Amino acid sequence: MNMGSIKDDFKKTVCGQIELNPQGDDRFLVATPFRFSDGDHFVIALKKEGDGWVLTDEANSLMHLSYCMDVDVLEDEGNRKEIFDNSLSLFAVENRGGELVKPVVGDRFGDALFNFVQALMKVSDVSFLTRERVRSTFMEDLFAFLRKNIPPDRIQFNWKSDRDASGKYPVDARINHMRRPLFLYGVPHEDKMKDVTISLLTFEKWQLKFQSVAVFEDLQAMQKKPLARFLDVNDKPFSSFDDENKDRLSDYLREALEEA
Amino acid sequence: MRSLIQLSDVEIDSLIREPKTAPASLLPLRLIERNKHRRKDYPVSSTSGNEFVIAVRQAVPNPLNFSVILMYRVPGYNTLFRLCRYNGRHGKHTNEIEGNKIEDECHIHKATERYQKLGGDEEGFAIETTRYSDLNGAVQCLLADCGFAPPPPNPQGNLFAGTTP
């Protein structure tokens, strides 16, 4: 294959897949071969705006990101917001309240399209910065640790209160036969921390007598505000489940069992 | 690039078919608007103890661009696994492995083992459908296909209230 035919193939493959489909007054859907990692193509619409034209994603990109991450974090300070904002500013794309828009300068429609596509690609990559989908053995390890350190007649796993008929507020492990039973939770991620916060507040409302213990897989990975809310209602947090903290947790549980 | 297979095809089918109860608050849909799309996540539990989520999304500028997703919380994992997704019309979809394209039509994504192996999203495979044409129809199809007991009767008699402007 010579250089000319390679160039022709590039043009045919890239340009040939770009279509402009009219949809309503002064609105066209721009079909491109560029897509998300689930196979859905980027949404790109060309719209008349005043005397000019804009390319818009019609709010699809952030909605698509919301399938796999909490897009509200893009409004908070942090790496993901920074990368998101930089992805847009690098290609002069505006975020209009969730709708990504690229004004077309003069009649440079092609330049605008390439810039817009590059911005959308970078934005879609933000999803890869969310928590890795790696299997964690944290909960299994924690449960094994509890089985080893607590006699079987003193512990109930996945305990539910009599007040909780629908089972919405399970406790990972209830350590019993003490004045105030220990409600122990493993916290591998932020969603679980938020769930536990709600459970503890519900138990308070029900006036259950208990003390709560939370063992985090990594407390430092939690966002500040949800963590602060959690720490307000939790009695005893352990920031990680490393060897040092395992010793502390072991001592803590032994003392609690002896006090009963 | 991910290479880990979280769920086999048999496990995916079993989880989709598993009997579940539709959340009482699901219908009529009352979505919250943020970032120019409407959304809400509905937790779903089953008698087996498995935890699911129905996620509903709809773009404000184009209400035909919507998604209704059944997700599964894989024990020990940090993220939700998307078992299937009922999409509206948002433009094209390409099945990377099969090489076929779906034009601007409603389509149903389904998680598969082979797309997990590919390293893309688990629900990268999709088929075109004419079974629904709007968001509420997509919700009904998901409930019918995914082992849900019929939703409770709607006292207002207007299943479609509160979804689109």
Side-chain angles (χ1 to χ4, degrees):
Chain A
M1 187 176 273
N2 61 36
M3 293 309 290
S5 57
I6 292 172
K7 187 177 165 187
D8 287 346
D9 190 60
F10 280 159
K11 280 185 176 176
K12 185 181 161 194
T13 305
V14 178
C15 302
Q17 291 191 57
I18 295 176
E19 299 164 14
L20 199 60
N21 303 312
Q23 292 200 336
D25 292 340
D26 292 332
R27 177 180 179 267
F28 299 84
L29 206 57
V30 185
T32 73
F34 303 106
R35 50 190 184 260
F36 296 100
S37 52
D38 65 355
D40 284 350
H41 291 231
F42 292 155
V43 170
I44 302 174
L46 178 68
K47 283 182 178 171
K48 188 97 174 161
E49 188 177 82
D51 293 334
W53 293 86
V54 295
L55 293 168
T56 164
D57 76 337
E58 296 192 320
N60 181 68
S61 305
L62 280 179
M63 184 175 86
H64 200 278
L65 272 181
S66 79
Y67 301 163
C68 58
M69 66 176 280
D70 176 6
V71 291
D72 291 345
V73 301
L74 298 176
E75 293 168 20
D76 299 334
E77 294 304 317
N79 287 342
R80 281 172 291 195
K81 175 182 166 49
E82 198 174 317
I83 291 169
F84 176 70
D85 289 348
N86 289 347
S87 302
L88 301 184
S89 61
L90 185 61
F91 297 104
V93 170
E94 300 166 10
N95 179 6
R96 298 184 183 172
E99 182 176 4
L100 307 184
V101 178
K102 169 75 182 171
V104 178
V105 178
D107 57 359
R108 294 167 60 189
F109 290 87
D111 288 340
L113 179 62
F114 274 120
N115 282 334
F116 196 48
V117 165
Q118 287 182 86
L120 296 185
M121 282 177 168
K122 285 182 77 73
V123 165
S124 72
D125 284 348
V126 172
S127 67
F128 292 110
L129 295 172
T130 198
R131 291 182 293 264
E132 277 294 310
R133 186 173 301 179
V134 175
R135 196 182 199 301
S136 163
T137 58
F138 166 72
M139 290 300 287
E140 294 162 27
D141 294 345
L142 177 62
F143 280 20
F145 176 88
L146 295 174
R147 285 192 191 94
K148 188 177 161 190
N149 284 274
I150 298 172
D153 63 325
R154 302 287 302 271
I155 189 163
Q156 288 172 276
F157 290 100
N158 201 24
W159 178 83
K160 294 178 185 72
S161 164
D162 293 340
R163 299 279 304 267
D164 183 15
S166 56
K168 283 191 288 192
Y169 309 105
V171 178
D172 288 340
R174 178 182 186 266
I175 299 162
N176 51 34
H177 302 312
M178 53 182 67
R179 194 166 54 84
R180 285 193 305 152
L182 276 183
F183 289 0
L184 191 147
Y185 294 92
V187 186
H189 49 74
E190 199 165 296
D191 287 349
K192 175 71 178 285
M193 182 177 75
K194 290 175 179 172
D195 288 346
V196 176
T197 304
I198 293 166
S199 293
L200 295 177
L201 287 168
T202 304
F203 297 155
E204 276 185 19
K205 193 173 74 181
W206 290 347
Q207 297 183 324
L208 298 188
K209 287 186 177 176
F210 68 99
Q211 351 171 28
S212 60
V213 182
V215 182
F216 285 83
E217 184 170 10
D218 180 9
L219 181 140
Q220 293 185 58
M222 305 294 128
Q223 292 208 59
K224 283 181 186 173
K225 284 181 184 172
L227 177 62
R229 286 192 286 270
F230 177 81
L231 294 176
D232 283 343
V233 294
N234 173 243
D235 295 317
K236 179 68 179 173
F238 287 85
S239 65
S240 69
F241 193 48
D242 58 17
D243 289 342
E244 204 172 315
N245 261 350
K246 279 179 188 170
D247 290 341
R248 288 199 188 96
L249 179 60
S250 177
D251 292 343
Y252 177 85
L253 292 173
R254 191 175 57 250
E255 284 174 23
L257 290 168
E258 286 170 358
E259 279 176 12
Chain B
M1 190 71 80
R2 298 185 296 265
S3 59
L4 192 65
I5 303 296
Q6 287 188 291
L7 296 172
S8 69
D9 286 340
V10 172
E11 289 170 320
I12 290 164
D13 283 338
S14 171
L15 286 162
I16 289 174
R17 285 199 308 267
E18 182 177 318
K20 309 169 191 77
T21 305
S25 60
L26 179 63
L27 298 171
L29 292 170
R30 296 193 188 284
L31 309 181
I32 294 162
E33 185 176 322
R34 287 200 71 168
N35 288 314
K36 288 197 183 172
H37 66 268
R38 302 186 186 90
R39 61 174 131 129
K40 195 157 185 179
D41 293 348
Y42 300 86
V44 173
S45 55
S46 70
T47 49
S48 68
N50 284 330
E51 291 179 39
F52 301 88
V53 173
I54 295 175
V56 183
R57 305 285 187 269
Q58 185 178 39
V60 172
N62 177 13
L64 289 177
N65 181 7
F66 56 79
S67 276
V68 187
I69 316 167
L70 178 66
M71 304 177 178
Y72 169 60
R73 193 179 290 285
V74 187
Y77 282 82
N78 293 333
T79 50
L80 289 159
F81 185 97
R82 294 176 297 280
L83 293 165
C84 51
R85 176 150 58 87
Y86 291 61
N87 269 25
R89 294 175 56 191
H90 55 65
K92 289 184 181 180
H93 168 87
T94 297
N95 285 324
E96 190 69 38
I97 293 176
E98 292 77 6
N100 65 308
K101 281 189 174 58
I102 297 170
E103 296 300 322
D104 185 19
E105 300 294 346
C106 294
H107 56 277
I108 301 174
H109 288 255
K110 191 187 170 201
T112 60
E113 215 173 302
R114 63 185 185 280
Y115 274 81
Q116 291 174 72
K117 275 184 195 160
L118 186 69
D121 290 355
E122 60 265 22
E123 84 284 32
F125 176 71
I127 52 167
E128 189 176 327
T129 185
T130 54
R131 290 172 58 209
Y132 59 85
S133 56
D134 62 13
L135 176 61
N136 289 284
V139 173
Q140 296 291 2
C141 282
L142 180 141
L143 295 176
D145 295 348
C146 301
F148 283 91
N154 175 13
Q156 296 173 2
N158 180 8
L159 187 64
F160 304 113
T163 56
T164 54

